Amino acid sequence: MDFYKGNVLRIDLSAGTTAVEPLNMDWAEQYIGGKGLLLRYMWQEVPAKVDPWAPENPIILMTGPFAGTGVTTASRLVVGCKSPTTGIYTDSYVGGSFAPELKFAGYDAVVITGKAAEPTVVVIKDDVVEFRPADKYVGMQTSAVEEAMRKDVDPGAKTLSIGPAGEAKIPWACISTDQYHKAGRGGHGALMGDKNLKAVVVRGTGSVSVGDAKAFLDLIYKLHEEYILTEDNLWAHEEGTPVLVDPVNGAGALPTRNWSAGEFEGAEKINSEAFQKIRTKKRACYQCAIGCRNFHATTFAGETVRGEGPEYETIALCGANCGIDDIDALMKFNELCDELGLDTISTGSVVGLAMDLTEQGINDFGLRFGEVESYVKVPELIAKREGIGAELALGTRALAAKYGHPELAMEVKGLELPGYDPRGSFGMSVGYATSDRGGCHMRTYPTGDEVVAGTSPANEIDAAKIEQIVVGDSSKGFIGQNMSSIKFSAILCDFWAVTPEQLVILFKELWGHDFTEDEVLKIGERVWNLGRLFNLREGVEKDDLPKKLYAESGAFAEGPSAGQAVGEDKFNAMMAEYYTQRGWDASGVPSEAKLTELGIDVRL
Ligand code: SF4
């Protein structure tokens, strides 16, 4: 089979050894790559019920089949582990150019176990893998680490690294690559820090074979012409995710001041139009025709601040959720998080919570909604666990619990929620509650239909919408969990609104035989169910939401979503409907019949 290199690299940091073994091609056929193959490897490689901080908990780097081939948006990497943040499955996707370089070096995946005795950098140069001391890189921020690796290892080196936040094991520390690309959610950076692994660097001189290269290039051209460079996707190039600020705010779904409102009065100062005024250039990940990465420049406190982003989620959580409408301060906050290696969703969430606790007189953190001076100091305090940072580093759930107000923590299964309030976008209620990595919008995205396109009522949820959450609706571009699971197994970027029909074309190139659209979606369902089994094995908590997001008592008194709440009875009924449609029992356990139907070969 072309596309795959057929090799998995194993790195044992405790023993200081490496080994190469064949990629399990049966699993690759069943699960494609990316998320699916990651999950199948995790089932095998993660010891059941292992402490997430134990050396045996691996970090797995998995490419997709099309990385390095020129298929647009496909050169992404997924990083997986049992999350130190949530104790369940987590995956996080990162663009840039690490994944193709890894394949050029000869590997489809890397499994990293153990814990190095001293800070270490792993350098992969084709078939030579070295462990190098990392003392001189300790404390470096993420862009400095990458620059050092280009100087010390190879000018073309591609680097995955952690910043000071990862070294300090902040539970939501992320992994960085190509400076601005982050495997952000779930704490992979914290686990890297715990393993004393400052960076993984790769340089490859090989290539990826695609069989008949001319036919394949013709196909890529056709995909670009017909399916990619279309208005379904080019919004990402033209405006990028800040375009979401206005519609989400207009629907009363923009988390504001720790989710105490759904409409932010300062939104127009941090919306797409505002960012376009300070935009300087665009950039793309490896061989991506869409090129959505936006660079901005401004000044804050007399200093130039320039960089990529912020994306919508950062604007929502670090902006509106903290009451911040100062675009310069928001740019600075985003830069600090990027350099320190902090996920911005979780950082914005915990800072918003600390502001709320202060404003309500519960504990004075010296932080207030909208107050810039104290706000921009917080990322560094968190990353170094200094001053109030030592407490904020507990994370949203533990911080709220410590001060006796768990109801103020806006998280699901320990992962802080992203920027869509279910009170203004009802579908997100079930979406968040059932997400396989905790509070996340990337498994299903009802907001796309309910708020952005306006093709589905934002204040209704019924069995038909649950079906879209489960499966997706390709005719409308509604992203469902099965559809996102197959898309993330091929590792196509979220910003290509790919359909099952288009995946059929790609998978025929991959496996050389025809697929139906139903078969494509069935693979996605298989992946989703395997994720559920993994989480059940590890002891996942009940699928639920912070109660104020669905109970009638939590409805806003004013704003565009005033008076709206899914309702507690309705929410419970919809969760029961979700389990039924999934073929799971009333407590969310997949039935034997469902597992057999999907050809899943593992059991609890
Ligand atoms: S659409 Fe944007 S994030 Fe996605 S692969 Fe292309 S440049 Fe990277």
Side-chain angles (χ1 to χ4, degrees), residues 17 46 73 140 165 327 464 503:
T17 57
V46 178
T73 83
M140 271 189 184
I327 195 168
L503 286 174

Side-chain angles (χ1 to χ4, degrees), residues 73 76 95 181 236 283-285 288 290-293 493 495:
T73 83
R76 297 171 70 77
H181 298 261
R283 203 171 84 156
C285 299
C288 172
I290 296 174
C292 74
R293 318 299 301 191
C493 179
F495 299 147

Side-chain angles (χ1 to χ4, degrees), residues 454-469:
T455 49
S456 173
N459 57 357
E460 284 176 24
I461 186 164
D462 56 16
K465 191 171 284 185
I466 296 294
E467 190 180 343
Q468 294 180 327
I469 287 168

Side-chain angles (χ1 to χ4, degrees), residues 71-76 94-96 181 233 236-237 283-294 308 311 491-496:
V71 171
T72 215
T73 83
S75 287
R76 297 171 70 77
V94 67
H181 298 261
N233 307 307
H237 175 79
R283 203 171 84 156
C285 299
Y286 181 87
Q287 293 197 340
C288 172
I290 296 174
C292 74
R293 318 299 301 191
N294 291 311
E308 202 174 318
E311 299 294 341
I491 319 197
L492 302 176
C493 179
D494 227 16
F495 299 147
W496 176 6

